């Protein structure tokens, strides 16, 4: 194993500069990352995932109106004092959870020039070590750990690793899509997940132009060479600097020059919170599974479905 490969991965980068316009007016004065999924802000699930994969240092790429993110992961002394005085240990623990997860850092993106540009903003912090990128719209169930596997694969094979899922052909235009071939990997990943070698990538392909049904989801473990490539990457889809375009270059490079790129084909539970419909579905699924809220909520949901009331609704804005 080379020295570069043996280095420990400790840093996570979480792009969080987006305006969240799909959730207006909720996101007029509140970052979309702070919208609750059951009773925790969506972004807390993502930081918890990074921490449980062993990452101790989190850099958030933020922008204007994102101050609540910094406050959420900081101590809240007045609130904590109050709960201490009341002796409310349970609530105190819930308040402290988010500030004990990792060492947090923040940098502003300035111009919103795309995901590739957001990742490039992390360069001064990350420097020359491999690092993880987690996108906040994807929540991965902690029972199906994905990032830790991707880190293992990167440690063994070097280069970069992305997470893939299989999607229906009509969904491919919503994602970066990968052309793949079998990987030379003889270890075991655990669970049903598989590993593949990526030969090409296309960001949000037009209908009929996807190289496969393998779609990139928001988890990446990247070789720092990606920064050099991103600096040279011209604006692509939607006139933005696309991370997918930089990874396409690395996928075609040899080891030592930033390649190869592997994909972990994830078969576990993932909740998309990227648009309003998916966000609602994620909340219902997660609420059903909770030990505390789940039993009552499931009973109510079964009654609602069984009552036929849903069949009579015609919908109103
Ligand atoms: C981004 C990436 C895309 C990827 C997706 C996963 O797109 O550009 O390649 O498939 O995240 O969620 P976005 O959904 O931010 O438009």
């Amino acid at each position: 194993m080379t020295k570069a490969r043996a280095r420990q991965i400790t840093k996570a980068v979480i792009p969080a500069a987006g305006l969240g316009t799909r959730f207006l007016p909720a996101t007029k004065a509140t970052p979309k990352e702070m919208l609750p999924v059951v009773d925790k802000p969506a972004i807390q699930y993502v930081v918890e995932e990074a921490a449980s994969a062993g990452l101790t240092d989190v850099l958030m790429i933020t922008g204007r109106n994102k101050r609540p993110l910094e406050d959420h992961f900081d101590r809240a002394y007045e609130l904590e004092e109050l709960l201490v005085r009341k002796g409310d240990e349970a609530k105190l623990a819930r308040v402290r959870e988010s500030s004990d997860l990792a060492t947090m850092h923040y940098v502003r993106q300035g111009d919103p020039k795309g995901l590739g540009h957001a990742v490039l903003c992390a360069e001064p912090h990350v420097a020359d070590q491999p690092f993880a990128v987690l996108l906040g719209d994807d929540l991965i169930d902690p029972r199906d750990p994905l990032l830790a596997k991707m880190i293992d694969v990167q440690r063994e094979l070097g280069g970069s690793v992305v997470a893939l899922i299989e999607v229906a052909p009509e969904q491919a235009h919503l994602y970066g899509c990968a052309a793949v071939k079998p990987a030379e990997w003889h270890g075991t990943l655990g669970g049903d997940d598989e590993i593949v070698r990526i030969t090409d990538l296309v960001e949000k392909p037009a209908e009929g132009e996807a190289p496969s049904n393998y779609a990139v989801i928001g988890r990446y473990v990247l070789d720092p060479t990606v920064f050099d490539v991103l600096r040279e990457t011209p604006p692509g889809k939607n006139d933005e600097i696309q991370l997918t375009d930089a990874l396409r270059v690395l996928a075609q490079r040899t080891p030592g020059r930033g390649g190869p790129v592997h994909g972990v084909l994830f078969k576990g539970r993932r909740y998309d919170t990227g648009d309003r419909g998916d966000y609602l579905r994620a909340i219902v699924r997660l609420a059903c599974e909770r030990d505390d809220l789940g039993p009552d909520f499931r009973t109510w949901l079964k009654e609602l479905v069984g009552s036929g009331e849903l069949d009579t609704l015609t919908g109103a804005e």
Side-chain angles (χ1 to χ4, degrees):
M1 188 181 286
T2 66
K3 212 168 157 204
R5 284 185 194 175
R7 264 179 298 179
Q8 186 81 4
I9 298 181
T10 58
K11 291 185 179 170
V13 173
I14 303 183
L19 296 176
T21 51
R22 280 184 276 191
F23 287 87
L24 281 169
T27 48
K28 185 177 173 189
T30 301
K32 74 165 178 172
E33 294 80 7
M34 290 301 294
L35 297 181
V37 175
V38 189
D39 53 4
K40 260 193 289 193
I43 193 74
Q44 188 174 331
Y45 291 85
V46 180
V47 176
E48 285 173 355
E49 184 192 335
S52 59
L55 305 175
T56 52
D57 178 299
V58 172
L59 174 70
M60 280 199 194
I61 315 294
T62 66
R64 291 171 62 78
N65 302 329
K66 299 286 182 168
R67 278 292 300 278
L69 293 176
E70 297 188 33
D71 292 339
H72 185 70
F73 292 101
D74 196 1
R75 300 299 293 267
Y77 286 106
E78 286 169 2
L79 182 56
E80 290 179 31
E81 271 291 294
L82 184 82
L83 294 170
V84 168
R85 278 205 303 277
K86 281 187 171 176
D88 194 335
E89 294 293 330
K91 286 209 182 89
L92 186 63
R94 297 219 17 102
V95 167
R96 286 187 174 157
E97 258 169 28
S98 55
S99 54
D100 291 340
L101 288 170
T103 307
M104 304 297 297
H105 305 269
Y106 302 88
V107 63
R108 286 192 179 210
Q109 187 176 0
D111 294 335
K113 289 194 274 188
L115 178 59
H117 177 250
V119 170
L120 194 49
C121 295
E123 184 180 19
H125 183 79
V126 166
D128 61 353
Q129 50 185 312
F131 62 104
V133 173
L134 296 90
L135 305 187
D137 286 348
D138 285 306
L139 304 186
I140 303 295
D141 195 302
R143 292 167 294 182
D144 301 318
L146 167 62
L147 195 57
K149 283 182 191 172
M150 294 171 68
I151 291 172
D152 284 349
V153 172
Q154 200 282 337
R155 198 178 292 134
E156 282 302 315
L157 300 177
S160 297
V161 182
V162 302
L164 299 172
I165 55 166
E166 202 161 355
V167 295
E170 59 276 15
Q171 296 286 308
H173 71 282
L174 300 170
Y175 298 91
C177 286
V180 305
K181 66 177 188 182
E184 288 174 30
W185 160 269
H186 306 292
T188 50
L189 275 182
D192 296 331
D193 301 343
E194 291 167 35
I195 169 158
V196 290
R197 170 87 179 258
I198 291 183
T199 55
D200 199 5
L201 284 158
V202 184
E203 177 65 8
K204 307 209 173 93
E207 216 187 311
E209 286 177 17
S212 75
N213 292 341
Y214 294 130
V216 177
I217 57 166
R219 297 294 179 271
Y220 308 79
V221 179
L222 300 177
D223 183 277
T225 319
V226 75
F227 295 128
D228 299 331
V229 179
L230 280 169
R231 256 194 302 281
E232 306 291 320
T233 302
K237 192 87 187 176
N238 300 331
D239 211 24
E240 292 180 341
I241 298 171
Q242 297 293 347
L243 180 58
T244 304
D245 293 343
L247 287 170
R248 178 172 199 249
V249 172
L250 292 182
Q252 281 147 16
R253 285 199 180 168
T254 51
R257 295 194 57 243
V261 179
H262 286 94
V264 170
L265 186 52
F266 180 61
K267 309 275 178 65
R269 285 159 281 198
R270 158 187 177 256
Y271 312 98
D272 189 342
T273 58
D275 70 28
R276 292 176 300 173
D278 288 333
Y279 171 74
L280 288 176
R281 284 183 272 276
I283 290 176
V284 171
R285 281 176 58 181
L286 287 166
C288 283
E289 292 182 8
R290 284 271 293 256
D291 288 339
D292 51 353
L293 302 167
D296 277 355
F297 187 67
R298 290 195 300 267
T299 305
W300 171 81
L301 193 59
K302 275 188 219 155
E303 278 169 15
L304 178 69
V305 172
S307 72
E309 196 183 321
L310 297 179
D311 303 325
T312 66
L313 297 176
T314 49
E317 270 281 293

